[in-house]
Amino acid sequence: MATLNEFKLVKLKSRNMFQYIPNIIKAVESDTEKERLGFYHLILEEITGISDADRIQELIQDQKYIEYIGGVKENDLGIDAVYISEEEQPEKQIMLFNFKYRIQFNPDKTTSENDVSLSIKFFQYLENNSPLPNFNSDSNVYKNLEKVRKCLNSDDIYNITLYFVTNEANGFQPKVTDLVKQFEQNYGMRIKTVSLDDIIAFIFPDKKSCSAKLFLGKDDFFTYSNDTRTSDASYICNISLFDLIRITCDNETLRNQHHIENDEDLNGCKLNYALLYDNVRGYLGQTNYNKNIYNTIKNDGKDFFLFNNGITITCLNVTSEPKNSNQKYLLTLSGIQIVNGGQTLRSIYNYFQNEVDFNRLENLRNSFVLVRIFKIDSENDLRNKIAEYTNSQNAISPIDLKSVSQIQIDLENYLKNQNILYARKAGDIGDNNSDYEYRISMEKFTQVLYASQGYPEKVSNLKRKLFTDYYDDIYSSQNFNIDQAKDLIELYFQIDKFYQEKQNKEKYNQKIFYIIYIVKQYGKEIEEADTILQKALEAYKKTAEEAIKDSRVLLKSDFRISIEKFIKK
């Protein structure tokens, strides 16, 4: 159960996150209001895996939040934020959020809310396809509703999850009405609550060295070493799902108790989320558990080994001791991290914690999974490569995959010494005691870097390719020197400030990238670069066959080329 101190930690982290929220035009006076707004960004970063604050802001439609960044009041239809997964999966995800930020800690109170009924407004507009009355087409509510409608009317399969998020210790159980059940049936919707315990688990993972023991028969594993001159070895094992839960649970005694006489002792254990610190998947963003995994454990546990790709674990140390006249071996693991298989592991825990069948523990005993255990030096980037390459076969964002590459880790460490927080992973707001000058996401920095290298038109509409097709060139030693990073980040924020201070000026991120391009490629000052950009935009739109917005022009390669004639004048 979460404690008062943990409640205070979430308040502090939410307040720290507030300072990185962009585009606030209305003064936020109270710490409580700062915490509430920061809480939105903190949770959405963790759940969606998006670390760029501008993109997070596009998801939020909460009425009070929009007042602070847009200066207008607009009904949010009972939904505070909308996220649509862009990953190519058999079933895509639509995530809807209802936030309840509490000011006081109450360890005993369990709140029952009618918020589901309030959220029904959003679903009613989805169902009847009627236009939103008195809504600006540029508003987040309007755009989010249209995006969801488009998804539901497409041929792709989308699952809808309605998240009720609160910093209360016991969370809250929203009342489910007949109307809600109807929407659950119509849209395949499910409701998920996220409370303080969940938030603590993924925001403050205890990354201290975690140890566990496995007792295996000699036929249940084999060893591998890529260097015959050393005694260090890695292991490929066949272990039961029961043992997998035991060695990954939050109970240290059970993790190291290789033989449990009473299986019921495992009841009540939770997943130790610290073990997933290096796993590239988000904590909640991918928790629409795989029904096939659940059903296989329940109905065909003996075939689980055949159907699943397995789990990959890295350890700082692994030892093997022969027992029972060499018929059994005791494996001792320390410094454990699960770098692949987090989705599988959460699905197994979902079965373990939610299945009511009295045979569930026996089913876990009789279901087996392939586990790869690699001994990795903590200073060696082999751990990061294993995390990247073993996940490359799955539907994981390329951005997440590159977050564990060595150049990104080096950038994080380098910029930290420059008093800049480099958010390599979502939800990172650095040390509570550090006062960073800037915070920039890995995604945003890569866009800035590629724009400075001469490709401002590609950094927005080809964002995914920045971390696939173009990544090696962008970060090659010929094109990038880590010493450039601080200067580029400072330039980005200077341009951002320039646009914020400019009156009656619509700001596009694409424009910032073009200013970076002109400044770095042609040596112009920010204001002069803006003048050049505006003249080029006006000239290009005059020659266009139809009316076209600036945002579309900025995505065209021929427009970027056309800028040169304005620079030479």
Side-chain angles (χ1 to χ4, degrees):
M1 178 62 67
T3 66
L4 173 60
N5 285 336
E6 289 171 331
F7 178 83
K8 291 179 179 178
L9 284 171
V10 172
K11 281 171 65 75
L12 177 61
K13 191 154 188 174
S14 297
R15 195 184 313 157
N16 288 343
M17 180 63 87
F18 169 79
Q19 65 185 308
Y20 302 115
I21 299 177
N23 309 319
I24 293 179
I25 64 173
K26 180 181 175 182
V28 183
E29 303 294 345
S30 71
D31 283 345
T32 297
E33 199 64 8
K34 291 177 181 178
E35 291 159 6
R36 191 173 73 86
L37 300 180
F39 186 68
Y40 289 168
H41 278 255
L42 184 67
I43 300 302
L44 287 171
E45 282 201 14
E46 292 289 351
I47 293 180
T48 67
I50 299 172
S51 56
D52 183 64
D54 287 306
R55 286 186 62 198
I56 289 292
Q57 199 158 72
E58 293 172 1
L59 310 181
I60 302 173
Q61 61 184 54
D62 170 65
Q63 179 175 325
K64 197 70 176 178
Y65 184 97
I66 296 301
E67 279 189 56
Y68 283 112
I69 67 165
V72 296
K73 289 187 177 181
E74 199 166 64
N75 192 328
D76 56 28
L77 304 181
I79 295 295
D80 294 324
V82 177
Y83 171 67
I84 300 172
S85 171
E86 298 174 354
E87 299 306 319
E88 293 297 326
Q89 301 179 28
E91 296 181 355
K92 299 180 180 181
Q93 310 299 321
I94 297 172
M95 302 177 189
L96 310 178
F97 297 87
N98 185 302
F99 287 92
K100 281 292 173 290
Y101 183 80
R102 305 304 187 190
I103 301 173
Q104 300 295 331
F105 176 76
N106 190 332
D108 301 317
K109 183 179 179 182
T110 300
T111 306
S112 179
E113 298 280 357
N114 289 313
D115 296 287
V116 173
S117 297
L118 296 176
S119 301
I120 290 301
K121 296 178 189 176
F122 190 87
F123 286 96
Q124 288 173 325
Y125 276 105
L126 278 182
E127 188 172 60
N128 59 29
N129 281 319
S130 61
L132 289 172
N134 304 319
F135 275 78
N136 189 316
S137 61
D138 289 329
S139 72
N140 283 10
V141 179
Y142 185 95
K143 289 188 288 188
N144 285 338
L145 187 68
E146 289 303 311
K147 287 177 184 177
V148 176
R149 281 175 174 170
K150 184 177 180 180
C151 292
L152 296 180
N153 290 327
S154 72
D155 292 331
D156 293 327
I157 299 174
Y158 282 90
N159 288 325
I160 300 180
T161 303
L162 177 55
Y163 288 94
F164 285 89
V165 185
T166 179
N167 59 333
E168 282 190 338
N170 289 319
F172 58 91
Q173 295 300 318
K175 292 179 181 178
V176 178
T177 65
D178 290 339
L179 188 57
V180 171
K181 291 178 182 178
Q182 177 185 332
F183 281 111
E184 287 180 331
Q185 294 173 353
N186 290 350
Y187 295 108
M189 184 184 77
R190 68 188 186 107
I191 296 172
K192 183 175 182 64
T193 60
V194 179
S195 62
L196 186 57
D197 269 330
D198 301 307
I199 295 167
I200 287 295
F202 64 78
I203 290 182
F204 300 102
D206 180 7
K207 209 187 173 188
K208 65 184 180 183
S209 180
C210 179
S211 62
K213 295 183 185 293
L214 275 170
F215 198 49
L216 302 175
K218 64 178 182 180
D219 295 328
D220 291 329
F221 73 99
F222 68 87
T223 60
Y224 167 79
S225 175
N226 58 2
D227 188 347
T228 57
R229 295 166 296 180
T230 178
S231 59
D232 289 346
S234 297
Y235 301 85
I236 312 297
C237 310
N238 174 29
I239 72 173
S240 72
L241 301 189
F242 184 94
D243 267 333
L244 180 63
I245 290 174
R246 182 183 61 78
I247 67 170
T248 58
C249 75
D250 58 357
N251 186 316
E252 183 178 4
T253 301
L254 288 178
R255 287 201 307 268
N256 289 282
Q257 187 177 330
H258 61 81
H259 177 67
I260 297 180
E261 293 185 1
N262 184 1
D263 287 358
E264 298 291 335
D265 290 344
L266 201 64
N267 285 331
C269 289
K270 295 182 179 180
L271 173 60
N272 180 5
Y273 290 106
L275 301 179
L276 296 172
Y277 188 87
D278 288 336
N279 190 278
V280 298
R281 290 185 185 270
Y283 163 59
L284 287 173
Q286 302 291 343
T287 55
N288 189 22
Y289 67 84
N290 189 319
K291 295 177 182 178
N292 290 333
I293 291 179
Y294 194 107
N295 291 331
T296 298
I297 300 172
K298 184 175 181 177
N299 303 317
D300 300 293
K302 65 182 186 303
D303 294 326
F304 190 91
F305 185 92
L306 303 176
F307 297 158
N308 192 270
N309 290 331
I311 309 288
T312 302
I313 296 175
T314 62
C315 301
L316 297 181
N317 193 36
V318 186
T319 61
S320 173
E321 302 175 57
K323 303 289 183 180
N324 297 6
S325 299
N326 295 332
Q327 297 303 303
K328 295 274 189 177
Y329 287 82
L330 179 64
L331 270 61
T332 301
L333 321 177
S334 62
I336 301 172
Q337 280 290 297
I338 296 168
V339 298
N340 178 257
Q343 175 92 344
T344 292
L345 188 60
R346 294 185 189 105
S347 299
I348 293 169
Y349 267 87
N350 190 28
Y351 173 86
F352 166 61
Q353 292 169 340
N354 296 314
E355 178 58 43
V356 295
D357 191 335
F358 71 94
N359 289 322
R360 92 187 200 294
L361 293 176
E362 182 181 350
N363 288 342
L364 291 168
R365 279 282 191 191
N366 295 326
S367 302
F368 291 83
V369 66
L370 175 71
V371 177
R372 295 172 288 270
I373 302 173
F374 298 136
K375 180 179 178 182
I376 302 297
D377 189 327
S378 61
E379 300 301 321
N380 195 322
D381 70 344
L382 184 58
R383 177 199 294 269
N384 305 320
K385 289 181 179 178
I386 291 174
E388 178 178 354
Y389 297 156
T390 58
N391 280 285
S392 296
Q393 61 191 330
N394 300 315
I396 301 175
S397 163
I399 298 174
D400 286 338
L401 284 174
K402 295 305 181 185
S403 71
V404 295
S405 67
Q406 192 60 45
I407 183 61
Q408 299 303 331
I409 295 171
D410 291 343
L411 263 170
E412 179 184 38
N413 294 329
Y414 173 82
L415 290 170
K416 186 175 183 179
N417 291 323
Q418 304 292 327
N419 202 32
I420 296 173
L421 176 57
Y422 187 68
R424 186 169 54 87
K425 293 188 177 183
D428 184 7
I429 59 169
D431 302 326
N432 288 332
N433 296 325
S434 297
D435 185 17
Y436 299 98
E437 187 174 1
Y438 302 113
R439 178 183 189 258
I440 191 167
S441 68
M442 180 182 72
E443 176 184 343
K444 181 72 74 179
F445 176 76
T446 303
Q447 290 178 292
V448 169
L449 178 58
Y450 200 42
S452 75
Q453 292 172 351
Y455 304 96
E457 78 281 8
K458 293 183 178 180
V459 299
S460 293
N461 64 331
L462 298 176
K463 192 182 302 181
R464 187 181 182 90
K465 288 190 175 183
L466 301 186
F467 295 90
T468 54
D469 299 14
Y470 308 148
Y471 184 83
D472 289 338
D473 285 337
I474 293 172
Y475 284 99
S476 68
S477 57
Q478 292 85 2
N479 293 329
F480 175 62
N481 185 319
I482 200 168
D483 292 330
Q484 299 173 271
K486 184 173 186 289
D487 175 60
L488 282 172
I489 292 168
E490 288 178 340
L491 176 61
Y492 170 79
F493 283 101
Q494 288 168 6
I495 299 169
D496 185 66
K497 183 180 179 182
F498 169 79
Y499 276 124
Q500 288 188 37
E501 293 176 347
K502 208 168 176 61
Q503 298 298 317
N504 301 319
K505 179 79 174 183
E506 185 177 6
K507 188 194 81 172
Y508 295 104
N509 272 321
Q510 295 104 305
K511 284 187 178 180
I512 295 181
F513 298 136
Y514 267 88
I515 301 301
I516 290 171
Y517 161 69
I518 296 170
V519 170
K520 300 306 291 186
Q521 291 289 321
Y522 298 100
K524 303 296 183 180
E525 296 298 324
I526 293 174
E527 190 164 359
E528 184 183 2
D530 176 61
T531 301
I532 292 170
L533 179 60
Q534 289 306 117
K535 288 181 178 179
L537 279 168
E538 291 169 6
Y540 189 93
K541 289 193 291 185
K542 284 181 180 179
T543 62
E545 295 180 357
E546 59 181 357
I548 183 171
K549 291 183 177 181
D550 288 358
S551 56
R552 286 184 57 201
V553 175
L554 294 169
L555 301 178
K556 296 179 176 292
S557 295
D558 61 337
F559 169 70
R560 191 255 301 168
I561 295 170
S562 74
I563 290 177
E564 291 185 10
K565 61 183 178 183
F566 293 93
I567 293 173
K568 292 175 181 178
K569 287 183 178 180

